[in-house]
Amino acid sequence: MFMTGNSFICQDDTVKNFIKDVNNNDESLRKVNKKQFFDWNTFGNVVEVYTKYKGGFLVEHIDFTKCRVKDIDKSTNKTPAILIHPDWTKEPNSRDLTVEIPLYPNFDSKGRTTVHYKDYEPEFTHYGLPCWVAAMDVAAIGWKTNKWNMSRLDNSFRPSGVLLMQGNI
């Protein structure tokens, strides 16, 4: 997609050191940026977590399949947040694994905040839509056609019958 570029260029040594290692996972800013663009193209959404510490902040990409948007709770006036869970299909039985991190400019008690980038579409206020959403039906037809053809080949495709015509033509 040629979106992440080749590298970041900077003159300041402190910033150069930060760009080389932006989080506790030994990732460079380019690696994090590459994951962000992949999520942007796949889902139309990107979630980043920023964690403050005495020397600055850490930047972490969160896989968008693990994220849900939590809107403001009007009864408690709680701020909007991103909910993160390792497997949302198992969430009802493992709610204790859900992590809630507020959206910027709010920070939690651990000094973390999230930023949610979303591809704008009218009437979609919580989540963005990927740019390829209009082609989903065409892609589904292509996928199903290939799957049907492969299943016929895998099952030793044979004609279901033979028509024999007797006589002279």
Side-chain angles (χ1 to χ4, degrees):
M1 299 295 288
F2 301 110
M3 296 177 83
T4 57
N6 187 29
S7 64
F8 287 94
I9 298 171
C10 179
Q11 302 300 324
D12 187 301
D13 288 337
T14 307
V15 177
K16 278 184 187 178
N17 291 334
F18 172 74
I19 288 171
K20 287 179 186 173
D21 189 15
V22 295
N23 58 35
N24 293 331
N25 299 326
D26 294 325
E27 292 180 313
S28 68
L29 187 58
R30 186 170 184 278
K31 282 184 182 178
V32 172
N33 195 252
K34 190 173 180 180
K35 291 178 183 179
Q36 292 167 344
F37 278 115
F38 185 80
D39 275 5
W40 182 263
N41 289 317
T42 307
F43 306 109
N45 294 274
V46 174
V47 172
E48 297 173 341
V49 175
Y50 294 92
T51 306
K52 287 192 293 188
Y53 68 97
K54 283 186 180 182
F57 63 95
L58 303 174
V59 180
E60 187 179 1
H61 164 265
I62 303 295
D63 176 1
F64 193 73
T65 60
K66 298 177 181 353
C67 299
R68 300 291 182 268
V69 177
K70 181 180 179 187
D71 206 0
I72 191 166
D73 186 352
K74 292 182 178 152
S75 63
T76 62
N77 208 17
K78 202 165 184 182
T79 60
I82 296 293
L83 302 175
I84 303 167
H85 192 279
D87 186 353
W88 284 100
T89 61
K90 298 177 181 160
E91 190 269 340
N93 298 323
S94 58
R95 289 214 165 112
D96 56 320
L97 297 177
T98 304
V99 176
E100 182 176 328
I101 304 175
L103 284 170
Y104 183 81
N106 302 303
F107 287 81
D108 67 7
S109 60
K110 296 180 181 178
R112 298 178 301 185
T113 188
T114 55
V115 175
H116 176 212
Y117 298 100
K118 54 189 170 190
D119 201 355
Y120 171 77
E121 289 293 331
E123 297 186 12
F124 287 87
T125 56
H126 286 79
Y127 297 98
L129 289 177
C131 60
W132 52 265
V133 74
M136 280 179 55
D137 290 341
V138 174
I141 290 169
W143 178 77
K144 287 178 181 178
T145 303
N146 288 340
K147 187 170 178 155
W148 183 76
N149 286 331
M150 287 305 297
S151 117
R152 291 183 70 161
L153 289 170
D154 289 344
N155 294 317
S156 301
F157 168 69
R158 287 179 231 119
S160 56
V162 176
L163 177 64
L164 295 174
M165 296 182 69
Q166 299 284 330
N168 292 334
I169 300 177

